[in-house]
Amino acid sequence: MALPERFSLLHSELNGFLFATIGAEENGAPLSVLSGLTRLGIDPWAEGARLARLPREAAARALAPLIARVGKNRSESEVRDVARHVAGLLARPGTPISPGSTGVHLRWPAVSIFCIGIALLLALMAARGSLPWP
């Protein structure tokens, strides 16, 4: 079973874009696209998927005002340069960005075996009287 796209961090076509640095926090730590969009109340994965469908220059134009809102004390040309760089990290148009193509797949037989193992362990402990509760 594939996890929902919002949880699909492993092998995502959007990782380069989402984790790209667009500035610095007040404490000097890097500020990522993921953090910046989240602060603006925008779903980073949905926005990344939307922008990936646009031509690079259009994606950069759409990103510039967002980057300007989360970045402090930046010139307009610096914001445009960062937006162009980040737009270049988006998946190419036509690349499928879907929950089925990204993320972690749980294997139900493995989960079932694990649960059965825990149940057997608890039954054995109960039979021996060594459960930590009465």
Side-chain angles (χ1 to χ4, degrees):
M1 175 179 159
L3 293 174
E5 185 174 347
R6 65 183 172 272
F7 299 114
S8 300
L9 295 176
L10 303 176
H11 311 295
S12 170
E13 293 88 351
L14 294 173
N15 279 0
F17 166 75
L18 292 173
F19 296 106
T21 301
I22 58 171
E25 301 276 4
E26 289 180 16
N27 67 1
L31 175 66
S32 68
V33 171
L34 178 69
S35 294
L37 290 175
T38 301
R39 287 180 188 176
L40 296 173
I42 299 170
D43 180 326
W45 286 269
E47 185 67 4
R50 183 186 77 80
L51 292 171
R53 291 188 295 271
L54 300 175
R56 291 285 175 259
E57 203 50 46
R61 282 192 308 272
L63 277 169
L66 302 174
I67 292 170
R69 286 174 51 196
V70 294
K72 305 289 183 219
N73 303 322
R74 294 173 129 171
S75 69
E76 195 174 314
S77 65
E78 185 180 2
V79 169
R80 274 195 312 266
D81 290 343
V82 171
R84 278 192 204 107
H85 170 70
V86 173
L89 299 174
L90 286 162
R92 296 183 185 269
T95 302
I97 301 174
S98 66
S101 67
T102 61
V104 178
H105 298 275
L106 297 176
R107 302 201 183 272
W108 286 110
V111 173
S112 298
I113 291 169
F114 176 76
C115 291
I116 291 169
I118 294 294
L120 289 173
L121 179 64
L122 288 173
L124 180 63
M125 290 174 71
R128 290 185 156 185
S130 58
L131 285 175
W133 60 87

